[in-house]
Amino acid sequence: MATIEVRAAVYRGDNGDRLGIEQLQLADPEHGEVRVRVRAAGVCGSDRHVIDGEWQVPLPAVMGHEAAGVVEAIGAGVRELAVGDHVIIAWHQACQRCAECTGGKPWACTRVRSNDSQLPDGTTRWHTADGAAAWPYLAVGAMSERIVVPDFAAIRVDPRVPFDVASLIGCSVGTGYGAVVNNARVVAGESAVVVGAGGVGMSIISSLRLAGASPIIAVDVSEAKLAEAKRAGATHGLIGGADLAERVAELTGGGADAAFEAIGRVATMEQLPGLIRPGGRAVFVGLPPEGQELRIDGLQLAYDGKTLIGSNYGGLVPARDFPRVAQAYLAGELPLDELISTRVPLEEVNEAFDAMRRGERTRTVIVFDEDDTAGAAN
Ligand SMILES: [Zn+2]
Ligand SMILES: [Zn+2]
């Protein structure tokens, strides 16, 4: 079988939390698959859970799951895509056939788990120099110069969207948008609070502004991030703390209509139901380490008729929602350029995760060519 050589960020688990830049072999796309030349890959939070040992995946792992690029080769039977198409990659490559998939909930697919590190057929197209299988994290392996994915996981996007912005739509931005539009179904005039102003939190804030929510209250421990959140559309910024519920109640007249937790910390997840008014919705977007339990006031939940919503990939239907987000960006309604704080080459991936661990940078994007940024001339 024909293969090509690709440079990729690989986690082996034998060098602490460091990724190595390795030369891997990538097999040609098979039936129904496409090969994409990755032009931008966002450094998104769930990779950090893996390389910090909090979640287990098959190793060695080709890291990254937030990608955009150009279709470079197509396998037999691919009809929807052509070489040269600009695409955003969906990391949950659902079966497209089961009752959940056909019912508009591909994130709940009963045949393909959303956290699989393999292509839907159970295999991988990547191999190490010595011939061992290497597994694409979340079935994407975005931190690789080229990737192979099923055609339905590569969603065509308007080529006017810069690659770095497009990559974010594949996870952090898409997830934030979906949490607002699909999970909480926020409508104009509703009040909202967002706990955690990192990459996904900022996407939620931008999407709340798009939906017409007001007020939009951002909560973080960093004044710098709160200032950024206000630029993205937050009307108020609060430093978190034990009295958060009272301060939110004051600003919203008794609690927000919708609250979002975008960190995955047990302490802030447990605070969330207390931030919403009776009948409100609390959406859990951040993912905690495995095996963590929450304590929630049962009487408050039942008597106040509150709704707790788990958000997996923002309830996205990628083929429907990615183009909607892209169009909102092109119309100037979603300021996604502002979400990208830093652009780096693949070789600086470890420093990008270090910055994330320190709570710095809204979002780092790995760019594979210097002209792949929103700031570059098109
Ligand atoms: Zn992500
Ligand atoms: Zn399915």
Side-chain angles (χ1 to χ4, degrees), residues 36-83:
V36 174
R37 181 182 164 208
V38 177
R39 301 291 296 270
V43 180
C44 191
S46 55
D47 287 66
R48 188 202 58 73
H49 284 285
V50 172
I51 63 185
D52 285 349
E54 295 171 1
W55 297 350
Q56 306 306 315
V57 300
L59 303 178
V62 184
M63 296 309 298
H65 62 277
E66 195 177 70
V70 179
V71 175
E72 187 177 62
I74 58 175
V78 172
R79 291 188 198 84
E80 297 292 325
L81 291 169
V83 170

mmCIF file of all heavy atoms in Angstrom, residues 36-83:
data_model
loop_
_atom_site.group_PDB
_atom_site.id
_atom_site.type_symbol
_atom_site.label_atom_id
_atom_site.label_comp_id
_atom_site.label_asym_id
_atom_site.label_seq_id
_atom_site.Cartn_x
_atom_site.Cartn_y
_atom_site.Cartn_z
ATOM 1 N N VAL A 36 -6.253 14.986 3.797
ATOM 2 C CA VAL A 36 -6.297 16.433 3.934
ATOM 3 C C VAL A 36 -4.911 16.935 4.312
ATOM 4 O O VAL A 36 -4.273 16.400 5.224
ATOM 5 C CB VAL A 36 -7.318 16.852 5.018
ATOM 6 C CG1 VAL A 36 -7.275 18.363 5.273
ATOM 7 C CG2 VAL A 36 -8.721 16.414 4.620
ATOM 8 N N ARG A 37 -4.441 17.935 3.579
ATOM 9 C CA ARG A 37 -3.217 18.627 3.982
ATOM 10 C C ARG A 37 -3.626 19.624 5.058
ATOM 11 O O ARG A 37 -4.381 20.563 4.800
ATOM 12 C CB ARG A 37 -2.592 19.346 2.795
ATOM 13 C CG ARG A 37 -1.311 20.056 3.152
ATOM 14 C CD ARG A 37 -0.725 20.813 1.972
ATOM 15 N NE ARG A 37 0.273 21.755 2.452
ATOM 16 C CZ ARG A 37 0.587 22.891 1.856
ATOM 17 N NH1 ARG A 37 -0.011 23.226 0.727
ATOM 18 N NH2 ARG A 37 1.487 23.689 2.379
ATOM 19 N N VAL A 38 -3.178 19.388 6.297
ATOM 20 C CA VAL A 38 -3.580 20.248 7.417
ATOM 21 C C VAL A 38 -2.855 21.584 7.289
ATOM 22 O O VAL A 38 -1.652 21.632 7.069
ATOM 23 C CB VAL A 38 -3.245 19.587 8.772
ATOM 24 C CG1 VAL A 38 -3.603 20.514 9.926
ATOM 25 C CG2 VAL A 38 -3.985 18.261 8.907
ATOM 26 N N ARG A 39 -3.612 22.666 7.386
ATOM 27 C CA ARG A 39 -2.996 23.994 7.311
ATOM 28 C C ARG A 39 -2.998 24.681 8.675
ATOM 29 O O ARG A 39 -2.188 25.561 8.916
ATOM 30 C CB ARG A 39 -3.754 24.837 6.280
ATOM 31 C CG ARG A 39 -3.761 24.202 4.871
ATOM 32 C CD ARG A 39 -2.396 24.215 4.227
ATOM 33 N NE ARG A 39 -1.919 25.550 3.985
ATOM 34 C CZ ARG A 39 -2.129 26.252 2.857
ATOM 35 N NH1 ARG A 39 -2.836 25.733 1.880
ATOM 36 N NH2 ARG A 39 -1.639 27.465 2.728
ATOM 37 N N ALA A 40 -3.925 24.315 9.554
ATOM 38 C CA ALA A 40 -3.952 24.892 10.900
ATOM 39 C C ALA A 40 -4.552 23.866 11.858
ATOM 40 O O ALA A 40 -5.482 23.138 11.501
ATOM 41 C CB ALA A 40 -4.788 26.166 10.927
ATOM 42 N N ALA A 41 -3.971 23.799 13.068
ATOM 43 C CA ALA A 41 -4.466 22.877 14.105
ATOM 44 C C ALA A 41 -4.488 23.617 15.435
ATOM 45 O O ALA A 41 -3.451 24.069 15.916
ATOM 46 C CB ALA A 41 -3.575 21.635 14.198
ATOM 47 N N GLY A 42 -5.669 23.750 16.018
ATOM 48 C CA GLY A 42 -5.787 24.437 17.300
ATOM 49 C C GLY A 42 -5.282 23.566 18.437
ATOM 50 O O GLY A 42 -5.381 22.339 18.391
ATOM 51 N N VAL A 43 -4.719 24.201 19.460
ATOM 52 C CA VAL A 43 -4.263 23.490 20.656
ATOM 53 C C VAL A 43 -5.407 23.566 21.662
ATOM 54 O O VAL A 43 -5.602 24.575 22.326
ATOM 55 C CB VAL A 43 -2.976 24.121 21.214
ATOM 56 C CG1 VAL A 43 -2.509 23.384 22.462
ATOM 57 C CG2 VAL A 43 -1.883 24.099 20.142
ATOM 58 N N CYS A 44 -6.188 22.484 21.732
ATOM 59 C CA CYS A 44 -7.460 22.479 22.447
ATOM 60 C C CYS A 44 -7.336 21.613 23.697
ATOM 61 O O CYS A 44 -6.530 20.689 23.758
ATOM 62 C CB CYS A 44 -8.549 21.959 21.507
ATOM 63 S SG CYS A 44 -10.222 22.184 22.121
ATOM 64 N N GLY A 45 -8.157 21.894 24.697
ATOM 65 C CA GLY A 45 -7.967 21.383 26.047
ATOM 66 C C GLY A 45 -7.953 19.880 26.228
ATOM 67 O O GLY A 45 -7.257 19.374 27.097
ATOM 68 N N SER A 46 -8.742 19.136 25.440
ATOM 69 C CA SER A 46 -8.830 17.719 25.782
ATOM 70 C C SER A 46 -7.522 16.983 25.506
ATOM 71 O O SER A 46 -7.225 15.993 26.179
ATOM 72 C CB SER A 46 -10.013 17.044 25.085
ATOM 73 O OG SER A 46 -9.962 17.217 23.719
ATOM 74 N N ASP A 47 -6.710 17.466 24.577
ATOM 75 C CA ASP A 47 -5.386 16.860 24.396
ATOM 76 C C ASP A 47 -4.574 16.924 25.694
ATOM 77 O O ASP A 47 -3.827 16.007 26.012
ATOM 78 C CB ASP A 47 -4.593 17.602 23.312
ATOM 79 C CG ASP A 47 -5.096 17.313 21.919
ATOM 80 O OD1 ASP A 47 -6.232 17.713 21.615
ATOM 81 O OD2 ASP A 47 -4.360 16.684 21.129
ATOM 82 N N ARG A 48 -4.725 18.036 26.411
ATOM 83 C CA ARG A 48 -3.947 18.189 27.637
ATOM 84 C C ARG A 48 -4.332 17.125 28.667
ATOM 85 O O ARG A 48 -3.479 16.608 29.390
ATOM 86 C CB ARG A 48 -4.139 19.593 28.219
ATOM 87 C CG ARG A 48 -3.195 19.888 29.388
ATOM 88 C CD ARG A 48 -3.701 21.000 30.271
ATOM 89 N NE ARG A 48 -5.022 20.723 30.836
ATOM 90 C CZ ARG A 48 -5.278 19.839 31.805
ATOM 91 N NH1 ARG A 48 -4.302 19.126 32.314
ATOM 92 N NH2 ARG A 48 -6.509 19.637 32.233
ATOM 93 N N HIS A 49 -5.636 16.784 28.749
ATOM 94 C CA HIS A 49 -6.041 15.718 29.668
ATOM 95 C C HIS A 49 -5.266 14.435 29.360
ATOM 96 O O HIS A 49 -4.887 13.696 30.263
ATOM 97 C CB HIS A 49 -7.538 15.425 29.514
ATOM 98 C CG HIS A 49 -8.433 16.445 30.149
ATOM 99 N ND1 HIS A 49 -8.627 16.528 31.501
ATOM 100 C CD2 HIS A 49 -9.202 17.423 29.604
ATOM 101 C CE1 HIS A 49 -9.484 17.494 31.782
ATOM 102 N NE2 HIS A 49 -9.850 18.065 30.640
ATOM 103 N N VAL A 50 -5.073 14.159 28.076
ATOM 104 C CA VAL A 50 -4.376 12.932 27.683
ATOM 105 C C VAL A 50 -2.905 13.004 28.057
ATOM 106 O O VAL A 50 -2.372 12.113 28.729
ATOM 107 C CB VAL A 50 -4.530 12.691 26.162
ATOM 108 C CG1 VAL A 50 -3.648 11.526 25.717
ATOM 109 C CG2 VAL A 50 -5.997 12.429 25.821
ATOM 110 N N ILE A 51 -2.231 14.096 27.663
ATOM 111 C CA ILE A 51 -0.777 14.115 27.861
ATOM 112 C C ILE A 51 -0.394 14.394 29.314
ATOM 113 O O ILE A 51 0.745 14.160 29.692
ATOM 114 C CB ILE A 51 -0.092 15.097 26.885
ATOM 115 C CG1 ILE A 51 -0.538 16.533 27.104
ATOM 116 C CG2 ILE A 51 -0.385 14.690 25.457
ATOM 117 C CD1 ILE A 51 0.037 17.484 26.072
ATOM 118 N N ASP A 52 -1.380 14.823 30.123
ATOM 119 C CA ASP A 52 -1.130 14.933 31.563
ATOM 120 C C ASP A 52 -1.571 13.668 32.308
ATOM 121 O O ASP A 52 -1.601 13.639 33.540
ATOM 122 C CB ASP A 52 -1.839 16.157 32.146
ATOM 123 C CG ASP A 52 -1.114 17.459 31.776
ATOM 124 O OD1 ASP A 52 0.017 17.381 31.254
ATOM 125 O OD2 ASP A 52 -1.683 18.544 32.002
ATOM 126 N N GLY A 53 -1.937 12.626 31.560
ATOM 127 C CA GLY A 53 -2.233 11.329 32.160
ATOM 128 C C GLY A 53 -3.607 11.210 32.793
ATOM 129 O O GLY A 53 -3.870 10.258 33.527
ATOM 130 N N GLU A 54 -4.517 12.152 32.524
ATOM 131 C CA GLU A 54 -5.846 12.120 33.152
ATOM 132 C C GLU A 54 -6.831 11.233 32.384
ATOM 133 O O GLU A 54 -7.796 10.750 32.955
ATOM 134 C CB GLU A 54 -6.399 13.552 33.249
ATOM 135 C CG GLU A 54 -5.576 14.442 34.176
ATOM 136 C CD GLU A 54 -5.980 15.906 34.115
ATOM 137 O OE1 GLU A 54 -6.913 16.249 33.362
ATOM 138 O OE2 GLU A 54 -5.353 16.714 34.817
ATOM 139 N N TRP A 55 -6.626 11.105 31.081
ATOM 140 C CA TRP A 55 -7.466 10.232 30.262
ATOM 141 C C TRP A 55 -6.544 9.260 29.528
ATOM 142 O O TRP A 55 -5.450 9.618 29.110
ATOM 143 C CB TRP A 55 -8.236 11.032 29.194
ATOM 144 C CG TRP A 55 -9.214 12.041 29.723
ATOM 145 C CD1 TRP A 55 -9.651 12.218 31.001
ATOM 146 C CD2 TRP A 55 -9.900 13.040 28.946
ATOM 147 N NE1 TRP A 55 -10.553 13.250 31.063
ATOM 148 C CE2 TRP A 55 -10.719 13.769 29.836
ATOM 149 C CE3 TRP A 55 -9.897 13.380 27.588
ATOM 150 C CZ2 TRP A 55 -11.531 14.826 29.396
ATOM 151 C CZ3 TRP A 55 -10.694 14.420 27.157
ATOM 152 C CH2 TRP A 55 -11.507 15.142 28.055
ATOM 153 N N GLN A 56 -7.047 8.032 29.369
ATOM 154 C CA GLN A 56 -6.233 7.001 28.717
ATOM 155 C C GLN A 56 -6.635 6.839 27.252
ATOM 156 O O GLN A 56 -7.816 6.772 26.930
ATOM 157 C CB GLN A 56 -6.412 5.659 29.437
ATOM 158 C CG GLN A 56 -6.143 5.718 30.937
ATOM 159 C CD GLN A 56 -4.780 6.304 31.272
ATOM 160 O OE1 GLN A 56 -3.775 5.949 30.653
ATOM 161 N NE2 GLN A 56 -4.731 7.215 32.235
ATOM 162 N N VAL A 57 -5.639 6.771 26.374
ATOM 163 C CA VAL A 57 -5.890 6.506 24.952
ATOM 164 C C VAL A 57 -4.828 5.527 24.458
ATOM 165 O O VAL A 57 -3.785 5.372 25.096
ATOM 166 C CB VAL A 57 -5.814 7.803 24.088
ATOM 167 C CG1 VAL A 57 -6.841 8.820 24.543
ATOM 168 C CG2 VAL A 57 -4.416 8.398 24.103
ATOM 169 N N PRO A 58 -5.084 4.859 23.325
ATOM 170 C CA PRO A 58 -4.050 3.969 22.785
ATOM 171 C C PRO A 58 -2.813 4.765 22.348
ATOM 172 O O PRO A 58 -2.934 5.867 21.826
ATOM 173 C CB PRO A 58 -4.725 3.297 21.578
ATOM 174 C CG PRO A 58 -6.042 3.945 21.395
ATOM 175 C CD PRO A 58 -6.326 4.841 22.535
ATOM 176 N N LEU A 59 -1.632 4.179 22.596
ATOM 177 C CA LEU A 59 -0.359 4.844 22.283
ATOM 178 C C LEU A 59 0.444 4.006 21.289
ATOM 179 O O LEU A 59 0.275 2.801 21.245
ATOM 180 C CB LEU A 59 0.448 5.037 23.571
ATOM 181 C CG LEU A 59 -0.253 5.831 24.687
ATOM 182 C CD1 LEU A 59 0.648 5.889 25.922
ATOM 183 C CD2 LEU A 59 -0.616 7.241 24.216
ATOM 184 N N PRO A 60 1.352 4.665 20.550
ATOM 185 C CA PRO A 60 1.562 6.110 20.478
ATOM 186 C C PRO A 60 0.377 6.820 19.830
ATOM 187 O O PRO A 60 -0.286 6.251 18.965
ATOM 188 C CB PRO A 60 2.824 6.249 19.614
ATOM 189 C CG PRO A 60 2.880 4.990 18.809
ATOM 190 C CD PRO A 60 2.268 3.915 19.655
ATOM 191 N N ALA A 61 0.138 8.058 20.280
ATOM 192 C CA ALA A 61 -1.002 8.824 19.786
ATOM 193 C C ALA A 61 -0.524 10.025 18.981
ATOM 194 O O ALA A 61 0.365 10.749 19.405
ATOM 195 C CB ALA A 61 -1.855 9.304 20.961
ATOM 196 N N VAL A 62 -1.131 10.191 17.804
ATOM 197 C CA VAL A 62 -0.923 11.403 17.011
ATOM 198 C C VAL A 62 -1.895 12.432 17.576
ATOM 199 O O VAL A 62 -3.112 12.268 17.475
ATOM 200 C CB VAL A 62 -1.227 11.154 15.522
ATOM 201 C CG1 VAL A 62 -0.910 12.402 14.701
ATOM 202 C CG2 VAL A 62 -0.446 9.953 15.004
ATOM 203 N N MET A 63 -1.364 13.467 18.240
ATOM 204 C CA MET A 63 -2.241 14.367 18.995
ATOM 205 C C MET A 63 -2.912 15.413 18.100
ATOM 206 O O MET A 63 -2.557 15.588 16.944
ATOM 207 C CB MET A 63 -1.456 15.039 20.118
ATOM 208 C CG MET A 63 -0.931 14.058 21.173
ATOM 209 S SD MET A 63 -2.194 12.925 21.835
ATOM 210 C CE MET A 63 -3.329 14.087 22.604
ATOM 211 N N GLY A 64 -3.874 16.117 18.704
ATOM 212 C CA GLY A 64 -4.599 17.169 17.990
ATOM 213 C C GLY A 64 -5.923 16.669 17.456
ATOM 214 O O GLY A 64 -6.044 15.521 17.019
ATOM 215 N N HIS A 65 -6.950 17.536 17.557
ATOM 216 C CA HIS A 65 -8.265 17.127 17.060
ATOM 217 C C HIS A 65 -9.031 18.305 16.468
ATOM 218 O O HIS A 65 -10.204 18.178 16.143
ATOM 219 C CB HIS A 65 -9.075 16.499 18.202
ATOM 220 C CG HIS A 65 -9.328 17.456 19.327
ATOM 221 N ND1 HIS A 65 -8.408 17.698 20.314
ATOM 222 C CD2 HIS A 65 -10.381 18.258 19.589
ATOM 223 C CE1 HIS A 65 -8.885 18.615 21.156
ATOM 224 N NE2 HIS A 65 -10.082 18.985 20.729
ATOM 225 N N GLU A 66 -8.362 19.458 16.328
ATOM 226 C CA GLU A 66 -9.037 20.679 15.873
ATOM 227 C C GLU A 66 -8.287 21.133 14.624
ATOM 228 O O GLU A 66 -7.184 21.679 14.727
ATOM 229 C CB GLU A 66 -8.936 21.720 17.009
ATOM 230 C CG GLU A 66 -9.845 22.891 16.886
ATOM 231 C CD GLU A 66 -9.736 23.831 18.085
ATOM 232 O OE1 GLU A 66 -8.703 24.505 18.248
ATOM 233 O OE2 GLU A 66 -10.697 23.897 18.864
ATOM 234 N N ALA A 67 -8.842 20.875 13.441
ATOM 235 C CA ALA A 67 -8.044 21.068 12.223
ATOM 236 C C ALA A 67 -8.851 21.632 11.066
ATOM 237 O O ALA A 67 -10.055 21.418 10.955
ATOM 238 C CB ALA A 67 -7.423 19.737 11.783
ATOM 239 N N ALA A 68 -8.133 22.353 10.212
ATOM 240 C CA ALA A 68 -8.678 22.750 8.917
ATOM 241 C C ALA A 68 -7.566 22.617 7.881
ATOM 242 O O ALA A 68 -6.384 22.732 8.206
ATOM 243 C CB ALA A 68 -9.195 24.183 8.952
ATOM 244 N N GLY A 69 -7.959 22.373 6.648
ATOM 245 C CA GLY A 69 -6.955 22.201 5.608
ATOM 246 C C GLY A 69 -7.592 22.065 4.241
ATOM 247 O O GLY A 69 -8.723 22.515 4.020
ATOM 248 N N VAL A 70 -6.826 21.436 3.345
ATOM 249 C CA VAL A 70 -7.241 21.334 1.944
ATOM 250 C C VAL A 70 -7.249 19.859 1.548
ATOM 251 O O VAL A 70 -6.294 19.130 1.837
ATOM 252 C CB VAL A 70 -6.267 22.112 1.032
ATOM 253 C CG1 VAL A 70 -6.690 21.994 -0.429
ATOM 254 C CG2 VAL A 70 -6.194 23.578 1.457
ATOM 255 N N VAL A 71 -8.322 19.433 0.891
ATOM 256 C CA VAL A 71 -8.390 18.060 0.397
ATOM 257 C C VAL A 71 -7.321 17.877 -0.675
ATOM 258 O O VAL A 71 -7.223 18.660 -1.618
ATOM 259 C CB VAL A 71 -9.785 17.744 -0.187
ATOM 260 C CG1 VAL A 71 -9.797 16.344 -0.806
ATOM 261 C CG2 VAL A 71 -10.848 17.862 0.895
ATOM 262 N N GLU A 72 -6.511 16.833 -0.472
ATOM 263 C CA GLU A 72 -5.348 16.638 -1.338
ATOM 264 C C GLU A 72 -5.480 15.361 -2.168
ATOM 265 O O GLU A 72 -4.905 15.252 -3.255
ATOM 266 C CB GLU A 72 -4.110 16.550 -0.439
ATOM 267 C CG GLU A 72 -2.797 16.518 -1.127
ATOM 268 C CD GLU A 72 -1.670 16.511 -0.113
ATOM 269 O OE1 GLU A 72 -1.571 15.552 0.681
ATOM 270 O OE2 GLU A 72 -0.902 17.473 -0.100
ATOM 271 N N ALA A 73 -6.228 14.377 -1.649
ATOM 272 C CA ALA A 73 -6.422 13.121 -2.391
ATOM 273 C C ALA A 73 -7.740 12.512 -1.922
ATOM 274 O O ALA A 73 -8.107 12.658 -0.758
ATOM 275 C CB ALA A 73 -5.280 12.148 -2.117
ATOM 276 N N ILE A 74 -8.447 11.850 -2.823
ATOM 277 C CA ILE A 74 -9.713 11.231 -2.430
ATOM 278 C C ILE A 74 -9.689 9.744 -2.779
ATOM 279 O O ILE A 74 -9.126 9.329 -3.791
ATOM 280 C CB ILE A 74 -10.936 11.916 -3.088
ATOM 281 C CG1 ILE A 74 -10.864 11.890 -4.603
ATOM 282 C CG2 ILE A 74 -11.070 13.355 -2.611
ATOM 283 C CD1 ILE A 74 -12.121 12.463 -5.264
ATOM 284 N N GLY A 75 -10.302 8.944 -1.875
ATOM 285 C CA GLY A 75 -10.402 7.519 -2.096
ATOM 286 C C GLY A 75 -11.572 7.200 -3.017
ATOM 287 O O GLY A 75 -12.363 8.088 -3.390
ATOM 288 N N ALA A 76 -11.708 5.918 -3.356
ATOM 289 C CA ALA A 76 -12.822 5.489 -4.216
ATOM 290 C C ALA A 76 -14.150 5.793 -3.529
ATOM 291 O O ALA A 76 -14.250 5.760 -2.306
ATOM 292 C CB ALA A 76 -12.700 3.991 -4.486
ATOM 293 N N GLY A 77 -15.145 6.118 -4.312
ATOM 294 C CA GLY A 77 -16.489 6.282 -3.770
ATOM 295 C C GLY A 77 -16.772 7.616 -3.127
ATOM 296 O O GLY A 77 -17.873 7.843 -2.626
ATOM 297 N N VAL A 78 -15.797 8.534 -3.120
ATOM 298 C CA VAL A 78 -16.034 9.857 -2.521
ATOM 299 C C VAL A 78 -16.689 10.755 -3.564
ATOM 300 O O VAL A 78 -16.123 10.988 -4.626
ATOM 301 C CB VAL A 78 -14.712 10.489 -2.020
ATOM 302 C CG1 VAL A 78 -14.943 11.932 -1.575
ATOM 303 C CG2 VAL A 78 -14.137 9.658 -0.886
ATOM 304 N N ARG A 79 -17.901 11.236 -3.251
ATOM 305 C CA ARG A 79 -18.624 12.057 -4.229
ATOM 306 C C ARG A 79 -18.787 13.498 -3.785
ATOM 307 O O ARG A 79 -18.930 14.391 -4.594
ATOM 308 C CB ARG A 79 -20.025 11.469 -4.459
ATOM 309 C CG ARG A 79 -19.992 10.151 -5.186
ATOM 310 C CD ARG A 79 -21.392 9.693 -5.582
ATOM 311 N NE ARG A 79 -21.378 8.263 -5.886
ATOM 312 C CZ ARG A 79 -21.479 7.305 -4.981
ATOM 313 N NH1 ARG A 79 -21.655 7.621 -3.703
ATOM 314 N NH2 ARG A 79 -21.437 6.042 -5.327
ATOM 315 N N GLU A 80 -18.798 13.720 -2.467
ATOM 316 C CA GLU A 80 -19.141 15.048 -1.959
ATOM 317 C C GLU A 80 -17.966 16.022 -1.975
ATOM 318 O O GLU A 80 -18.167 17.223 -1.850
ATOM 319 C CB GLU A 80 -19.661 14.926 -0.520
ATOM 320 C CG GLU A 80 -20.939 14.133 -0.388
ATOM 321 C CD GLU A 80 -22.126 14.846 -1.016
ATOM 322 O OE1 GLU A 80 -22.172 16.079 -0.957
ATOM 323 O OE2 GLU A 80 -22.985 14.149 -1.585
ATOM 324 N N LEU A 81 -16.753 15.514 -2.083
ATOM 325 C CA LEU A 81 -15.576 16.376 -1.967
ATOM 326 C C LEU A 81 -14.682 16.216 -3.181
ATOM 327 O O LEU A 81 -14.663 15.164 -3.832
ATOM 328 C CB LEU A 81 -14.768 16.008 -0.716
ATOM 329 C CG LEU A 81 -15.417 16.337 0.632
ATOM 330 C CD1 LEU A 81 -14.643 15.681 1.768
ATOM 331 C CD2 LEU A 81 -15.492 17.848 0.840
ATOM 332 N N ALA A 82 -13.926 17.281 -3.468
ATOM 333 C CA ALA A 82 -12.975 17.247 -4.582
ATOM 334 C C ALA A 82 -11.631 17.765 -4.089
ATOM 335 O O ALA A 82 -11.556 18.513 -3.103
ATOM 336 C CB ALA A 82 -13.487 18.115 -5.727
ATOM 337 N N VAL A 83 -10.569 17.363 -4.788
ATOM 338 C CA VAL A 83 -9.237 17.879 -4.469
ATOM 339 C C VAL A 83 -9.266 19.405 -4.563
ATOM 340 O O VAL A 83 -9.838 19.971 -5.498
ATOM 341 C CB VAL A 83 -8.197 17.281 -5.445
ATOM 342 C CG1 VAL A 83 -6.847 17.982 -5.295
ATOM 343 C CG2 VAL A 83 -8.047 15.779 -5.191
#
